[in-house]
Amino acid sequence: MKKIITLVLVLTTIMTLAACGGGTQDYNPYTRDLDEDAFAATLLAKIEFGDIMTEVDDDAAGVLYSLYGLTENDYDDLSVYMSTGATAEEIAVISVENEDQAAKVGAVLVDRIDAQIKSYENYAPDEVEKLSNAIVEQVDDVVILIVCEDYEQYRTAKDDFLKNAAVD
């Protein structure tokens, strides 16, 4: 049930962003090309993590497929940081080119959280709360997954980054 609610929220956010407009022009979240590497690096620098975070090589297609089940056709570009495994902490900032990619990436990230919850239930039950509060959201042309202890730090870091709007 939680998975369905989360997926509905992700899709609702995506559809709301697509429907928002300014004046007579429709808002298109795919016209602002956010720099996913800079976005992820900002999150990494401004959020306090309890574990060492390591960048996942985006050229390692097999690793990314095993993590998320995404192929290169499912997204434009991405930047991912993961903990050592002792915690469930994770940052994924994935650029998408259209609503279909955004919906697929959002659904895959929700599935990732569900799989991580099952994995950590017996291994490190304290991490389940972080995973249960994980955020999956679309911001302009990127879909973000964040698993951390303090989600207020995430919101502040995201807002700071968007004020400066680093773009590719």
Side-chain angles (χ1 to χ4, degrees):
M1 183 66 171
K2 191 179 221 181
K3 179 178 177 181
I4 293 170
I5 291 170
T6 304
L7 185 56
V8 168
L9 289 173
V10 168
L11 294 175
T12 302
T13 301
I14 291 167
M15 299 312 283
T16 301
L17 287 173
C20 291
T24 58
Q25 291 185 333
D26 288 333
Y27 172 72
N28 182 350
Y30 309 102
T31 58
R32 186 162 104 168
D33 188 18
L34 293 176
D35 182 339
E36 68 283 338
D37 292 327
F39 204 161
T42 297
L43 297 176
L44 180 66
K46 295 192 175 207
I47 298 171
E48 187 176 324
F49 291 96
D51 197 358
I52 297 169
M53 301 294 285
T54 304
E55 186 172 14
V56 176
D57 182 5
D58 63 347
D59 292 330
V63 172
L64 294 172
Y65 182 79
S66 70
L67 288 174
Y68 302 116
L70 295 171
T71 67
E72 291 180 1
N73 296 328
D74 297 327
Y75 60 91
D76 183 37
D77 206 351
L78 60 108
S79 185
V80 176
Y81 290 87
M82 301 192 71
S83 70
T84 62
T87 70
E89 296 168 323
E90 187 169 342
I91 299 170
V93 181
I94 303 174
S95 295
V96 294
E97 296 178 342
N98 55 53
E99 287 179 40
D100 290 339
Q101 282 186 342
K104 178 168 186 168
V105 168
V108 163
L109 294 177
V110 169
D111 288 346
R112 164 89 173 148
I113 295 302
D114 289 342
Q116 289 290 84
I117 288 172
K118 288 177 183 152
S119 174
Y120 278 91
E121 280 176 336
N122 295 319
Y123 170 64
D126 294 343
E127 294 301 303
V128 173
E129 184 176 348
K130 285 182 196 174
L131 289 161
S132 296
N133 294 317
I135 295 174
V136 175
E137 69 176 339
Q138 182 176 1
V139 177
D140 290 334
D141 72 324
V142 298
V143 179
I144 300 166
L145 162 66
I146 185 77
V147 180
C148 64
E149 185 72 37
D150 186 345
Y151 290 99
E152 190 56 41
Q153 288 179 349
Y154 162 71
R155 288 184 222 12
T156 300
K158 177 184 76 170
D159 291 346
D160 289 349
F161 178 82
L162 292 174
K163 283 179 192 170
N164 298 323
V167 295
D168 280 336

